[in-house]
Amino acid sequence: MNKIKLKIISLIKKINYFNYNYNILNKSIISDNEYDFLYNKLEILSKKYPNLIKNYYINNINNNLHLTSNSHKHILKMISIKSTYSIKKIYKFEENIIKKNNIKIKEYCCELKLDGIAINIIYKNNNLYKILTRGNGEYGEDITKNKFFIKNIPDKIVFLNYKSPSLVEIRGELCISNYNFDFINKIIKEKYNKIFVNKRHAVSGIIRNKIKNKIYYKLLNFIAHGIGYCFFLNKSLNKFKKHNNLLNYINKLGFETVERKICKTIKESIKYINFIEDNYKFNKYKYLIDGVILKINSIKLQNILGNSSKYPNWSIAYKFNSTYKETILTDVTFNITKNGNFIPIGKIKSINISGINIKKIFLHNIKKIKSLDLMIGDYILIYLSGNLIPTIKNVIKDKRNNEIKNIFYPKNCLSCNYKLSLYKDILKCNNFFCKSKIKYKISHFFSKKCIYIKYLNKKNICELIDDNFVKNIIDIFKLDLNILNKYIKNNKKVNSIYKTINGKVNINIKNFLYALNIENIGEKTLSIICNNIKKYEELFTLNNIYIKDLNKNQLKNINIFFSKIKNINFIKEITQKYINIIF
Ligand SMILES: [Zn+2]
């Protein structure tokens, strides 16, 4: 428990530090992906251990807030929208709403997710009163005096067909167009020998008036995507019926509104996401975007679903994986796993994404390769899935040339030449005596976390198997000095190994069970099992044991392993002659 506590505290500290830099100092010191990754981690832990979070989360955030003297309170809190990098979670979003609320969703308003600075514009009696950054959601920085940098924020708004509200908040994103971004960088490069590293920095730098020069007049655009507080309208907001109608109305008030599409179903919304993402890769948009936001279009439904403390329950953002890099697939090889599965691995011309150097890419199975229509020599787009795993987005077919080759799928096992079979789209060697499987099994048994024999390494074991001196685990204990000397060219090492295998090796029960390589049983589960057996004889009751902390599958695997006579005989033989288990 202490470990988890420390982990949570460390995560909160990190997130607070990044929040402080981002919200207050306006520095983004890590990528969005990295931030989201940390945040999701914290969220998972906070669900699992709500008591631990309760004590730390709030305190830390409050302690860490340093507001500038220039801050001002939002009338309605500016909450952010829950985001995901996974299409599956978009489906899940709808599924959960339908399941929990027993309602039908007829329409989504899908909006481009603009990557700028979120702001809130307050109008009092029709006149512009304050422009605030999001800040921490409750308080934002007052940037009203710099409004001349921003296009399309009217000083006065006139409500058509409605009685004007005395107080209203218009919300949206402050952005810079590609054209203006290049323009300003050119100027400040010449004048100050500086550039803004990205668009968000540019927006922030300009609005904070970091470079004291009014030539940047109206370089920024405000793009509205909703309403915050609205005295009077809140009561009659239902009159608009749809979020999209509301945006159209905001448009009529004189604001630019976000590019959007109404989609009838979640499937249609995802089609739209894919369309936008494809275009996004080629920089086809006027502003920088980093995803698509789905909002349930019905305002009535939005009100029924309401907000949680952090997010609105009626909206979700799909974020693009920010970095796609192009490279070439140079080869496909196969790794043989301990079970004899042949896993395809793509070799690529090395690239660097977010500081990670990538040379190989995991291709999962044959179906995956076929769905990508992948060939050796293809140009491919790579991204880090979940910010961790290098993944192929797609093949750039326009770039295919005459040098492409088909991927070669082996017909026979590369180790034993046994004919491979296809199981669940994976090539598999079913030969029980396949040397690659035996190599895995034996070298695992004698690896560091198992029965470790000093100086006897994996390479030695594999060579001994190749030359048929070793066919099973017990054979290792029968090796004589002549053979050992043939493979290990060091007298001291040979003597040490020989001495170890000819005495009884003392081994902890957990290491022994780990060495047995029971299907799907990891170290954590083994610790639980070890707490439940106290002496040697109890090993032979594991075929019937019930441990309440283990799940059905784990219990089944343990029970099956210890029901097999072959395994029991092996344990008896090895413990009688070669190994001494310590409980
Ligand atoms: Zn084989």
Side-chain angles (χ1 to χ4, degrees), residues 166-371:
S166 53
L167 210 52
V168 61
E169 292 181 304
I170 308 284
R171 286 172 176 183
E173 204 83 1
L174 209 50
C175 298
I176 186 164
S177 66
N178 297 334
Y179 179 83
N180 283 347
F181 179 68
D182 293 341
F183 167 76
I184 191 137
N185 262 347
K186 213 175 131 196
I187 291 181
I188 62 169
K189 176 95 183 104
E190 278 166 16
K191 274 201 163 177
Y192 308 98
N193 199 22
K194 269 189 201 170
I195 53 160
F196 290 117
V197 287
N198 61 38
K199 289 187 179 139
R200 199 187 282 151
H201 274 104
V203 173
S204 163
I206 293 168
I207 200 63
R208 292 248 159 75
N209 210 357
K210 275 187 184 154
I211 297 154
K212 310 261 177 220
N213 195 326
K214 292 200 176 177
I215 55 162
Y216 311 129
Y217 181 71
K218 295 208 166 168
L219 270 185
L220 303 179
N221 291 64
F222 171 70
I223 298 121
H225 53 54
I227 273 186
Y229 177 81
C230 181
F231 181 74
F232 157 72
L233 261 192
N234 266 14
K235 288 178 209 149
S236 54
L237 217 54
N238 282 339
K239 277 188 187 162
F240 286 102
K241 287 203 170 89
K242 292 177 179 179
H243 173 76
N244 188 43
N245 297 345
L246 185 66
L247 288 183
N248 289 339
Y249 188 77
I250 294 174
N251 206 197
K252 280 185 192 149
L253 292 175
F255 297 95
E256 183 177 347
T257 49
V258 65
E259 189 179 321
R260 58 196 178 272
K261 185 177 189 253
I262 303 302
C263 296
K264 296 280 177 207
T265 61
I266 197 85
K267 262 195 180 157
E268 199 187 326
S269 308
I270 285 161
K271 220 172 138 188
Y272 180 65
I273 289 176
N274 288 332
F275 170 77
I276 299 290
E277 192 169 17
D278 282 344
N279 286 306
Y280 150 83
K281 279 179 303 216
F282 301 105
N283 260 332
K284 284 197 177 162
Y285 295 93
K286 185 176 165 194
Y287 305 112
L288 184 66
I289 56 168
D290 64 350
V292 174
I293 299 176
L294 270 65
K295 292 177 178 169
I296 290 177
N297 204 18
S298 154
I299 289 177
K300 197 175 154 196
L301 267 188
Q302 287 186 3
N303 289 336
I304 291 172
L305 296 170
N307 301 332
S308 73
S309 61
K310 282 190 224 147
Y311 312 112
N313 294 324
W314 41 267
S315 178
I316 189 162
Y318 174 79
K319 282 179 101 173
F320 304 146
N321 282 283
S322 57
T323 328
Y324 290 100
K325 286 235 171 124
E326 193 182 307
T327 185
I328 301 175
L329 182 76
T330 54
D331 199 6
V332 172
T333 57
F334 290 85
N335 276 2
I336 312 176
T337 68
K338 60 177 175 179
N339 303 318
N341 290 336
F342 278 58
I343 303 297
I345 306 288
K347 287 190 177 165
I348 57 171
K349 209 175 139 199
S350 115
I351 44 164
N352 191 298
I353 303 181
S354 311
I356 300 170
N357 220 12
I358 304 160
K359 289 178 191 158
K360 285 179 188 170
I361 196 155
F362 183 53
L363 294 171
H364 302 272
N365 56 43
I366 293 177
K367 196 173 161 191
K368 177 83 190 165
I369 295 176
K370 292 210 163 134
S371 74

Side-chain angles (χ1 to χ4, degrees), residues 336 340 342 412-420 428-437:
I336 312 176
F342 278 58
N412 298 75
C413 176
L414 303 173
S415 169
C416 68
N417 212 27
Y418 196 83
K419 195 168 181 297
L420 296 179
K428 193 175 171 91
C429 171
N430 284 320
N431 179 8
F432 189 77
F433 300 103
C434 175
K435 274 190 180 162
S436 75
K437 285 197 233 173

Side-chain angles (χ1 to χ4, degrees), residues 86-111:
S86 136
I87 290 287
K88 265 189 206 156
K89 290 209 173 136
I90 301 284
Y91 280 113
K92 198 101 201 159
F93 164 77
E94 185 183 77
E95 238 178 80
N96 285 343
I97 289 180
I98 294 174
K99 223 193 263 166
K100 272 191 202 156
N101 303 282
N102 196 23
I103 48 169
K104 261 192 178 168
I105 301 167
K106 284 186 185 151
E107 268 177 359
Y108 287 96
C109 181
C110 302
E111 302 172 359

Side-chain angles (χ1 to χ4, degrees), residues 430-448:
N430 284 320
N431 179 8
F432 189 77
F433 300 103
C434 175
K435 274 190 180 162
S436 75
K437 285 197 233 173
I438 294 175
K439 277 177 189 169
Y440 179 87
K441 203 172 144 191
I442 300 180
S443 52
H444 171 79
F445 194 89
F446 292 102
S447 64
K448 277 206 169 135

